[in-house]
Amino acid sequence: MSDLVSLPEMEAAAERIAGVALRTPLVRFSHDPAPAAAGEPLLLVKPESLQPIGAFKVRGAYAAISSLPPDERRRGVVTHSSGNHAQAVAYAARAFDVKAVLVMPHTAPAVKVDACIALGAEIVYVEPTSQARAETAGKLADAHGFAMIPPYDDARVIAGQGTVGMEIVQDRPDVDVVLVPVGGGGLIAGVSAAVKALRPEARVIGVEPELAADARDSMAAGRPVAWEAEQTARTIADALRVQQVGDLPFAHMRAHVDGIITVTEDEIRTTMRRLAREARLIAEPAGAVATAAYLYHRAELPTGRTYVSILSGGNC
């Protein structure tokens, strides 16, 4: 437990990212002006799609890079990512005027790759497996002295992502259930740590595609369970195709997360449409999964009056 990210670490990260990452609002899903019926729960969406790079990842990337000693930071940074974390690292690196090298799968969506290039980063393409990405990034770090900025298995990154959970509880102290997308686990690790520190009675539920349900299997097994890249590649939610949750995120999940829900591809697509039409919010597939869990799997969720779903990104 001593290795888990603490609330003071997340508060320090919040200070470092202030003015860089947007403090996103909580948006009521339904725009019906009539008051909710007695007993009807309220769903609020936290749109991290409004961040300057279109996803929550800017919080963790900037928190990590800003914590580097200046001499180390000047040598440049490297990471591996399917898109959003890569763009976040490129954005933060440009803010510090340092070199960013991004190891990305050749299957990464063009909208995400183009955004990284526009930020001045150097792209290195690899096969779409977690092993190829991590090994290549590690070799580049060793060869050139770059600082590694992991996408999720890193305490600095988790502390940055935890600011999402801090803001949720600060804005809605009555929150009962927080729904969080799960890929590598950095977001749910930070959010669950923050929520449980500030409102222990709240429930934190992870959500992932049923076609990439390694987090569900990991929680059931009591250890990280890997899925093959060919399996996770089937989901439209490209940001959640991580084959296995990180070790440090999994430790946070074991300590703080109350359950995992899976959603179907049709539910993801339909929720993307509903978020656009009913909440005027653009969600990429991964960004829609948490709201999909509320809309289509409410009976599987803990009961409560106030639910918050995290819309993790809108780059699609």
Side-chain angles (χ1 to χ4, degrees):
M1 293 291 288
S2 61
D3 292 333
L4 302 187
V5 172
S6 66
L7 184 60
E9 290 175 287
M10 291 182 277
E11 291 171 339
E15 292 180 4
R16 294 200 303 278
I17 69 174
V20 177
L22 177 69
R23 185 188 177 99
T24 51
L26 293 175
V27 178
R28 184 176 175 182
F29 179 78
S30 171
H31 284 256
D32 185 348
E40 182 67 19
L42 172 68
L43 173 62
L44 300 168
V45 180
K46 188 163 179 64
E48 288 293 293
S49 52
L50 302 180
Q51 292 294 350
I53 59 116
F56 75 96
K57 290 283 192 177
V58 68
R59 296 173 183 263
Y62 195 90
I65 293 174
S66 64
S67 70
L68 293 172
D71 287 347
E72 183 178 355
R73 188 165 55 226
R74 278 193 290 269
R75 294 198 294 269
V77 296
V78 64
T79 194
H80 56 94
S81 165
S82 64
N84 285 335
H85 178 69
Q87 189 177 342
V89 168
Y91 183 89
R94 190 175 74 165
F96 285 103
D97 193 26
V98 299
K99 181 181 181 67
V101 178
L102 314 174
V103 178
M104 303 181 72
H106 63 74
T107 54
V111 65
K112 297 182 179 182
V113 175
D114 291 346
C116 292
I117 294 172
L119 287 167
E122 178 182 332
I123 311 295
V124 176
Y125 292 105
V126 295
E127 291 300 309
T129 68
S130 297
Q131 181 179 0
R133 285 160 42 177
E135 286 183 354
T136 301
K139 290 177 181 178
L140 289 167
D142 293 340
H144 301 282
F146 298 143
M148 177 70 75
I149 308 297
Y152 46 82
D153 208 352
D154 182 274
R156 302 162 302 176
V157 171
I158 290 172
Q161 320 303 27
T163 60
V164 177
M166 290 173 56
E167 291 174 11
I168 289 172
V169 180
Q170 289 165 356
D171 291 348
R172 288 301 301 225
D174 63 337
V175 64
D176 296 310
V177 182
V178 180
L179 304 170
V180 190
V182 185
L187 179 61
I188 196 169
V191 168
S192 63
V195 170
K196 293 296 185 176
L198 296 171
R199 183 167 164 77
E201 62 269 38
R203 296 291 175 260
V204 179
I205 303 296
V207 188
E208 61 185 347
E210 65 177 16
L211 296 183
D214 59 286
R216 177 202 61 194
D217 291 355
S218 297
M219 290 289 278
R223 57 177 174 80
V225 173
W227 279 38
E228 295 295 329
E230 293 77 10
Q231 292 178 290
T232 60
R234 297 173 300 167
T235 179
I236 190 176
D238 59 277
L240 303 182
R241 291 174 182 160
V242 178
Q243 295 168 242
Q244 180 177 313
V245 296
D247 291 335
L248 186 56
F250 184 69
H252 287 74
M253 291 168 64
R254 287 287 302 274
H256 301 309
V257 173
D258 298 290
I260 303 287
I261 297 291
T262 62
V263 294
T264 70
E265 299 298 289
D266 284 345
E267 289 165 352
I268 293 171
R269 292 186 176 92
T270 303
T271 301
M272 291 173 69
R273 288 194 291 269
R274 291 190 62 181
L275 281 164
R277 292 173 176 169
E278 298 175 45
R280 311 299 187 264
L281 296 172
I282 301 300
E284 63 184 272
V289 298
T291 304
Y294 178 90
L295 295 178
Y296 301 106
H297 297 269
R298 179 103 61 88
E300 300 171 47
L301 299 176
T303 57
R305 287 283 296 154
T306 304
Y307 293 75
V308 173
S309 65
I310 297 175
L311 195 170
S312 53
N315 294 317
C316 62

